[in-house]
Amino acid sequence: MERTPWSWWRVAAVVVAPVFGLAAIALVVFLVSGGPALDSVSTAVGLGLLAGFAVALMIAAWHVWRLSQSAAAHEFDVVERRGSDAYARAADQLGSEKAPVRLAGLYGLERLAQVDARYRQTVVNVICSYLRMPYAPPEQANDAVADVAERGVRVAAQRIIAAHLRPAEDDLFWPDIDVDLSGATLIDFRMDNCRARLATFDRAHFAGDISFVGSQFSGPARFIAARFVSRRADFQTSWFAAGVDFTGAGFAGDADFNGMKVNGEAQFTKTVFAGMVDFSQAAFSALGSFRTVMFVGRCEFAGAWFAAEADFSGSTFSKDAAFNGVRFGAHVEALGAYFAAHCSFRSAYFTRNADLRAARFGGNVDFTEAWFATTAMLDGGRVRMDVDRSLTNWPRGWTIREPRDDTDARLADREGSWGYLIKFNSPEKPPPVPAERGAPPNAP
């Protein structure tokens, strides 16, 4: 064992110093008393030995502590070097041309992160980086065999991430993980019942079976310009604690957001929903922006709750749009919105301004039992006249004026004959103000 500076000379000093000390004490006692005072000398010798022994014990204990610290540091270096080597080997395997070797690298990284929590975010970052690499699904590529093998590797990488983000699995759960899959091609991506911190899926390409059911994100979640080419994208009961951004996203199939909760801003500006979309029982505690959204299929907002401003300005509803029982807790704006088919606001609750100015209604409109804290604003609204409007029920104080002539009945961007919504003084008494309902049960 290597000797430290305390090993020999300080121990020797502890032994020699008491001897000289005792000799000096004995000499002083002898000179003062004029003779050998044996009792005094014995007491001094005993005290000196005890003091020297105590100091020696202290130094020995300090020396042992130093040795243990050195051993611990050595063991830490060994463990750190072993982890670094394992990480380097696994990461290097991901660059292999053979799919089985890449799979081995993925599982090697997973084992390392499971054993050592310090590597977890790093391992997730590496796997996400692998998934962000360019990839064409087998149906779009020339080399079917190679691409099918790569598909298997990518699906395994996705499953590794999801498996460690489910809090239900205590032994496997990795808390406070950030996920960045910007621009990634994700196939049969299932992140249901997962919990993550930050999540970024900007420009991601989702194909196959897509599920975020019950997922929770404590930080901002982004799906800007993401593409969902699957038949169905499922976000039921998902929870976004710091907001979610789907600006410019595109859904080729159906989208289900039933029961979702968003505590921050919910941005769906310029999103395209080609299939049916369901926001029933969804709860938005901050701004819910649906500006210039294309609802190609039927859309459902039944029982949804908007605690803050809701904005549907410039949006297009090509099929039926149902807002039955929706509670709008703040200003609602749908300037220039276009409702091509049946539009229903039955039993909707508007606690602030309801601004639907310049909206265009191509089918039946139903405001039966809808309640407005102030007068509904439908100024400049246009209504298609050459369709069956037998089921239409406008808010109190509004009616339709026929167009003056054929020119007046035309819209530049829409076919058919269009009249005008005009306001008149209604002799009816306004409905009583309902009791305060409080937050609905689906509130975040």
Side-chain angles (χ1 to χ4, degrees):
M1 182 182 298
E2 182 181 357
R3 295 178 181 178
T4 66
W6 282 85
S7 298
W8 295 110
W9 69 270
R10 296 198 179 189
V11 175
V14 171
V15 176
V16 174
V19 175
F20 281 100
L22 289 175
I25 293 172
L27 179 61
V28 171
V29 171
F30 178 80
L31 294 175
V32 172
S33 62
L38 296 179
D39 292 341
S40 299
V41 172
S42 298
T43 301
V45 170
L47 292 175
L49 289 175
L50 287 175
F53 183 70
V55 174
L57 284 178
M58 291 176 62
I59 294 177
W62 184 87
H63 184 63
V64 171
W65 178 80
R66 282 288 302 274
L67 291 177
S68 65
Q69 289 293 103
S70 178
H74 178 71
E75 182 179 358
F76 176 80
D77 291 340
V78 171
V79 173
E80 188 73 13
R81 186 162 50 251
R82 188 183 300 122
S84 299
D85 293 343
Y87 172 79
R89 286 195 303 271
D92 185 61
Q93 286 177 311
L94 285 180
S96 173
E97 295 181 356
K98 299 180 180 179
V101 178
R102 297 196 295 274
L103 276 173
L106 286 174
Y107 292 126
L109 289 172
E110 181 188 21
R111 286 194 302 272
L112 174 62
Q114 183 63 25
V115 173
D116 193 338
R118 297 173 303 165
Y119 284 94
R120 289 176 179 174
Q121 185 61 65
T122 301
V123 166
V124 171
N125 291 344
V126 172
I127 297 177
C128 288
S129 178
Y130 180 84
L131 291 172
R132 290 197 302 268
M133 295 176 63
Y135 170 70
E139 57 271 16
Q140 301 177 11
N142 297 323
D143 187 358
V145 175
D147 285 297
V148 168
E150 172 62 8
R151 179 189 185 121
V153 177
R154 286 176 169 268
V155 171
Q158 295 170 181
R159 289 175 179 171
I160 288 174
I161 294 176
H164 294 286
L165 295 181
R166 294 190 174 98
E169 303 291 339
D170 293 337
D171 296 337
L172 298 178
F173 180 56
W174 299 349
D176 300 324
I177 294 296
D178 299 335
V179 177
D180 184 1
L181 289 168
S182 303
T185 297
L186 305 171
I187 304 170
D188 295 328
F189 189 73
R190 301 191 62 87
M191 202 171 172
D192 43 302
N193 299 312
C194 289
R195 183 181 299 169
R197 189 167 52 189
L198 303 178
T200 306
F201 296 92
D202 295 348
R203 304 176 309 282
H205 181 91
F206 293 89
D209 187 15
I210 309 301
S211 176
F212 286 85
V213 174
S215 56
Q216 299 181 11
F217 301 93
S218 59
R222 294 166 36 132
F223 295 83
I224 298 174
R227 293 292 177 264
F228 296 84
V229 299
S230 58
R231 289 181 298 176
R232 178 183 174 85
D234 202 341
F235 287 84
Q236 290 187 72
T237 66
S238 55
W239 179 57
F240 300 93
V244 63
D245 194 343
F246 282 90
T247 299
F251 293 82
D254 297 340
D256 195 344
F257 296 90
N258 191 308
M260 77 176 298
K261 293 178 173 60
V262 186
N263 287 92
E265 290 189 359
Q267 288 286 346
F268 286 87
T269 304
K270 296 183 180 180
T271 301
V272 176
F273 295 101
M276 294 179 57
V277 57
D278 188 359
F279 284 94
S280 298
Q281 303 299 322
F284 304 91
S285 62
L287 170 67
S289 178
F290 292 84
R291 292 179 64 91
T292 61
V293 173
M294 287 287 296
F295 294 96
V296 180
R298 173 183 170 84
C299 71
E300 182 77 51
F301 283 86
W305 180 57
F306 291 85
E309 182 180 353
D311 191 355
F312 293 87
S313 297
S315 293
T316 298
F317 300 84
S318 300
K319 298 291 178 61
D320 292 352
F323 293 85
N324 300 327
V326 175
R327 174 172 178 174
F328 295 101
H331 179 71
V332 183
E333 189 170 291
L335 294 171
Y338 173 56
F339 300 90
H342 181 70
C343 173
S344 177
F345 288 88
R346 292 180 67 92
S347 301
Y349 187 81
F350 298 87
T351 59
R352 297 290 187 273
N353 294 331
D355 191 350
L356 284 78
R357 289 176 295 175
R360 291 167 291 176
F361 301 92
N364 282 291
V365 182
D366 190 1
F367 282 91
T368 302
E369 297 183 357
W371 184 82
F372 297 86
T374 60
T375 303
M377 303 168 64
L378 296 169
D379 308 76
R382 301 296 298 269
V383 181
R384 186 167 180 177
M385 307 300 296
D386 55 345
V387 295
D388 179 16
R389 309 201 59 84
S390 59
L391 300 178
T392 293
N393 184 10
W394 295 105
R396 183 178 54 87
W398 290 92
T399 189
I400 301 175
R401 179 178 68 79
E402 296 282 344
R404 296 184 180 91
D405 49 38
D406 290 342
T407 302
D408 192 34
R410 295 174 184 170
L411 287 179
D413 57 343
R414 303 293 174 188
E415 63 179 8
S417 175
W418 295 80
Y420 293 85
L421 273 171
I422 61 172
K423 189 175 181 181
F424 68 97
N425 294 325
S426 174
E428 302 176 9
K429 294 182 179 180
V433 178
E436 180 59 37
R437 301 180 184 180
N442 58 325

